[in-house]
Amino acid sequence: MATRKALLGLVILSTFLLASSAPALARSQAVTAADPATCSISSLPSFVDQGEGAGASSVADYVKVSCSPAYAGRSVKVTATELFDRCSDKLEWVGRVEWPLLKFLGLIGIGKSVTLRLDDAGNTWAVVFAGPGCASGESLISSHLEAPPYSTVTTAFTVLAPRVTPAGASVLPSEITLGDLASSFGAIVQVEYPSVFAEDWVTINAEQLAVRCKIPPHLIWFGPNLQLLGFGAESSARVQLDDDGNAFAVVFGAFSCAAGTADIEASLEEAPYTEERTELTLLAPQPPGP
């Protein structure tokens, strides 16, 4: 655990050092709850419990909070107590870190809640790694605006029991609005193969996505249990399918990513070398819709 966290810190630090001289720069299935006067919160509707070895029974979720730009720079506290309890008291949150003179991607919290800062467009986000050891069922996730009128909004996220799912690849969410401060993002890449390929290895490549993120290390990949899988312009994620043929990795673009659509490819490392494709669309920074 300590080694993994230290390595995560080194990756983030190297990103900042390389970027410091440069200018700072939902998919439809997301479940959203809103207070029209202030904020909304969205998450994935569900995620299948999956993983092998040390990452068994893990899930991930993408949480986004959007408020009126009038609340830019304010903080929101995101809480997932039920998910924390359901996943063996283990949640790790990755998102945008802000210090007085530094802005970068990093581990922003461990535990049932995390505090996020709204960007100039009124948006903020985090990816939560849950588990290993998650149990199936629904959990509520809430966001509380830490400024008048102190509104709270809530959404639901369901951990689904392990199961065989239709073969393919997908990005969750498939459409993401970039942050206005660093043009960063995070997305979950899910791969699904027939269970006959259980415990086989799959390589996920996102070269087109890496090209869109201008500053090294371009992309950073993590697996269940926040395991570092790779980073760099030519990096890929190597994941092992579980007994149902499922696996996931989370890809982060840390700095200066450009809007547009990029292909992502997943392929078995052994015969029959089956390849699955999906795509991620990045949108330019913008305030929440009406």
Side-chain angles (χ1 to χ4, degrees):
M1 174 70 72
T3 301
R4 190 176 74 252
K5 296 296 189 301
L7 187 53
L8 172 61
L10 288 173
V11 172
I12 295 165
L13 179 59
S14 66
T15 301
F16 169 71
L17 291 176
L18 288 166
S20 58
S21 61
L25 299 175
R27 183 170 177 167
S28 62
Q29 83 273 23
V31 175
T32 304
D35 176 347
T38 51
C39 302
S40 66
I41 182 173
S42 64
S43 72
L44 303 180
S46 60
F47 199 85
V48 174
D49 175 336
Q50 58 195 274
E52 275 291 302
S57 296
S58 293
V59 300
D61 190 17
Y62 177 90
V63 179
K64 179 181 178 180
V65 179
S66 297
C67 300
S68 165
Y71 298 100
R74 301 290 189 172
S75 295
V76 293
K77 185 176 183 179
V78 176
T79 302
T81 301
E82 295 175 357
L83 185 61
F84 180 77
D85 295 340
R86 191 175 297 284
C87 290
S88 303
D89 298 346
K90 187 170 184 184
L91 299 183
E92 296 171 301
W93 305 78
V94 176
R96 192 182 68 231
V97 178
E98 292 191 35
W99 291 348
L101 298 178
L102 306 180
K103 295 179 177 66
F104 54 90
L105 185 77
L107 181 67
I108 54 177
I110 299 175
K112 63 183 68 176
S113 64
V114 66
T115 298
L116 308 174
R117 185 180 178 190
L118 299 169
D119 65 18
D120 288 347
N123 300 314
T124 191
W125 61 272
V127 174
V128 57
F129 293 76
C134 291
S136 60
E138 183 182 77
S139 299
L140 298 180
I141 301 174
S142 66
S143 171
H144 178 71
L145 179 64
E146 296 186 325
Y150 303 104
S151 62
T152 298
V153 289
T154 303
T155 187
F157 172 72
T158 300
V159 177
L160 300 176
R163 64 192 65 190
V164 175
T165 55
S170 57
V171 184
L172 307 170
S174 61
E175 188 175 275
I176 292 175
T177 300
L178 295 167
D180 73 320
L181 292 175
S183 294
S184 59
F185 72 88
I188 303 162
V189 182
Q190 173 75 60
V191 296
E192 299 153 301
Y193 283 85
S195 57
V196 67
F197 299 111
E199 300 187 18
D200 284 0
W201 290 88
V202 173
T203 298
I204 305 173
N205 288 296
E207 293 180 5
Q208 293 183 12
L209 194 57
V211 169
R212 292 197 168 276
C213 295
K214 311 296 185 182
I215 298 175
H218 307 285
L219 299 180
I220 309 171
W221 295 86
F222 291 98
N225 205 23
L226 204 61
Q227 178 186 7
L228 180 64
L229 301 179
F231 59 93
E234 299 180 359
S235 67
S236 60
R238 187 170 182 261
V239 296
Q240 186 177 24
L241 301 174
D242 65 13
D243 289 345
D244 293 306
N246 298 321
F248 74 89
V250 182
V251 59
F252 294 94
F255 278 102
S256 194
C257 298
T261 298
D263 288 338
I264 297 175
E265 304 171 358
S267 57
L268 287 170
E269 293 186 352
E270 298 182 1
Y273 307 105
T274 306
E275 185 176 281
E276 301 289 353
R277 291 174 177 265
T278 186
E279 61 183 29
L280 172 64
T281 298
L282 302 176
L283 303 176
Q286 55 189 287

